[in-house]
Amino acid sequence: MFDTEVLVVGAGPVGLTLAVDLGLKGVRCILAERKEAPQFLPKMERCNARTMEIFRRMGLAGKVRAAGLRSDVPMDVYIILAMNEPPLLRLPYPSVAEAQRQIDACTDGRLPLEPYQLVSQYTLEPLLKSVAETLPSVSVRYGCEFLSLEQDGSGVSTKIKCDNRISDISCKYLVGCDGGSSAVRESLGIGLRGEGNLMQFRQALYYCEELFDRIPIGNGPGKGRHYHVADDRATFLIMQDSTRHWTLHAAVETDADMARQFEKTVGIPVKYDMLHVGKWQQNLLLAEHYGKGRVFLAGDAVHLVIPTGGLGMNSGVGDAVDLAWKLTAALRGWGGPNLLASYEIERRQVGDRNVGASRYASLGRRKWRSLWRDPDRLVAVAQVEQRKSNEMIGAELGYRYVGSPVIWDEPGGPEHLFREYVPTSWPGARLPHVWLEGHVAIQDRIGRGYTLLRLGGSREDASGLEKAMRIYGAPFEILDIPDQAARDLYGFDLILLRPDLHIVWRGNLAPAEPRELAALATGHPV
Ligand SMILES: Cc1cc2nc3c(=O)[nH]c(=O)nc-3n(C[C@H](O)[C@H](O)[C@H](O)COP(=O)(O)OP(=O)(O)OC[C@H]3O[C@@H](n4cnc5c(N)ncnc54)[C@H](O)[C@@H]3O)c2cc1C
């Protein structure tokens, strides 16, 4: 008898998302977090569009938006000398409200269903914690540190220290979401590969009641989320979700320098409190493996990127949702062995590409920063190079699982592009968003199991596939979507989707070998 079905170690945004998703699926899980409580410390601040689509499916998008930045504030990025001088460069990016208007009018699948949302990690974590605590199958335990594990073919036994007492917790599966210096990863003997400790920074958090309303930038609008300073300290000011909190990163010598650097950047006298100063370092690292046996790893435990392009937490949320339904399938008996094995195959290639995308973006940023003595040239270079950090829609939406044992193999496929998103129904891709009759999003029509979309009025007999899926006991439904817009966008009459809305198979005729397709989709030997 096991204490729980899944033990999730670490309640950062990734562990919390995983616990919530497992809880929504009725899986018994314990979430063990070393800290006594969520901390008010800055880290990520932007959920990208894909994460917001995922949160929408979990019923959380509205809550996250309500807790995050107001929808009317632009997400512009500036390069400045100081805030009280005309900006060197302004890259305009729409507010959530404006982005939503663009999405509402979009009919070609190029845009996501949800825009991004600025929400500080210290806001998001307590929100996700409060949701996890309402789920009956989830036990949230702060002040509990993972120490060690042993596993065999049937489960995992662990030593966990809670309130200075060491106890044993056993589980069928364990997931280490315990961040960059993951003890779970270490206990599996899995190393990180790549470039570590590339550059060290100080980061400080400030409370300033008046700055947002008084932003003194030139004649332009001035409101934005990022203010890069063209200097030799790589100074970078970030607005947090309340608009009253700000963070500043700079390569400076002492904590006290962070106060001076803030004042210099703001350029006008403001009253402020410096709430926290910490150090962090830039890494571009990827784990050799995403788990071993019944133990899996997700989030920063397996990929560490430079926070350019927001591919840190957002990649980790992608790991969490990929793993949650596969663990559920294994626990409920309908998932075959290839399903959990596909987690590393699918998500490590995304981690690898995102580490690459982060390197590409940060090299661009380094290029314009090196020209800080020559503002004219800097601006010309930054026009191109800074966009690499802020325009990553291809990496966010366009990832497609290649070579996965649970995706029907269609050789070839579109190129993976970081910067551009081209909607596709190629197996392995995320189902592109499309509006249906009555302005209903197709994602909102789709249930929680496997779905065969029958598009454009197709009458193909899919009962063979339905029967085959039932043999495995997998949740499955056939959904008729007569709207021509969806048929035109996807280019096929039939699309088989998995619970995470990635495409398994597509065709115009019912599958010739339904048993084979059902076996493949559910991870059983074909
Ligand atoms: C300055 C900065 C800005 C960033 N901006 C963005 C952004 O805009 N968008 C984005 O996507 N990403 C961003 N990131 C990256 C993002 O913060 C991380 O990718 C994200 O926090 C990873 O989440 P996680 O849950 O995997 O790990 P973490 O957030 O590191 O959480 C791990 C948790 O595990 C706990 N833990 C550790 N060891 C144990 C143990 N032995 N037992 C129990 N618990 C344990 C820790 O206390 C912690 O709570 C930024 C990072 C930095 C530094």
Side-chain angles (χ1 to χ4, degrees), residues 252-332:
V252 294
E253 298 299 317
T254 67
D255 287 1
D257 289 340
M258 290 304 284
R260 283 190 285 279
Q261 206 67 8
F262 180 71
E263 288 163 20
K264 209 165 129 190
T265 300
V266 171
I268 54 168
V270 286
K271 272 201 213 129
Y272 72 92
D273 291 317
M274 191 160 78
L275 305 176
H276 166 82
V277 186
K279 288 185 190 168
W280 68 281
Q281 63 190 40
Q282 292 186 337
N283 298 297
L284 286 168
L285 295 167
L286 184 70
E288 293 158 332
H289 291 287
Y290 273 34
K292 199 182 268 181
R294 305 180 78 86
V295 180
F296 298 89
L297 298 162
D300 273 22
V302 275
H303 41 73
L304 287 161
V305 297
I306 298 173
T308 42
L311 295 173
M313 179 211 69
N314 288 302
S315 305
V317 167
D319 300 339
V321 296
D322 188 85
L323 195 49
W325 72 270
K326 292 175 180 173
L327 284 170
T328 310
L331 287 162
R332 298 296 167 256

Side-chain angles (χ1 to χ4, degrees), residues 94-161:
S95 66
V96 166
E98 178 52 31
Q100 191 64 67
R101 279 190 286 275
Q102 293 172 5
I103 288 170
D104 284 345
C106 177
T107 54
D108 61 7
R110 274 180 316 103
L111 295 182
L113 168 57
E114 290 279 345
Y116 42 54
Q117 175 65 49
L118 195 155
V119 58
S120 304
Q121 189 156 335
Y122 54 69
T123 306
L124 185 61
E125 286 185 14
L127 187 156
L128 293 173
K129 173 176 180 275
S130 70
V131 175
E133 283 166 343
T134 64
L135 296 167
S137 65
V138 180
S139 166
V140 179
R141 303 186 189 171
Y142 276 64
C144 287
E145 183 181 7
F146 162 87
L147 299 177
S148 64
L149 68 85
E150 280 175 27
Q151 60 171 321
D152 59 25
S154 61
V156 188
S157 47
T158 64
K159 298 264 179 236
I160 303 274
K161 189 163 93 181

Side-chain angles (χ1 to χ4, degrees), residues 9-15 32-35 43-46 121 125 144-146 177-180 183 203 249 280 298-301 307 310-315:
V9 176
V14 175
E33 165 57 50
R34 181 170 61 185
K35 292 178 306 217
K43 247 178 137 182
M44 59 71 58
E45 93 284 354
R46 193 186 70 121
Q121 189 156 335
E125 286 185 14
C144 287
E145 183 181 7
F146 162 87
C177 303
D178 49 346
Q203 173 181 233
H249 301 264
W280 68 281
D300 273 22
L311 295 173
M313 179 211 69
N314 288 302
S315 305

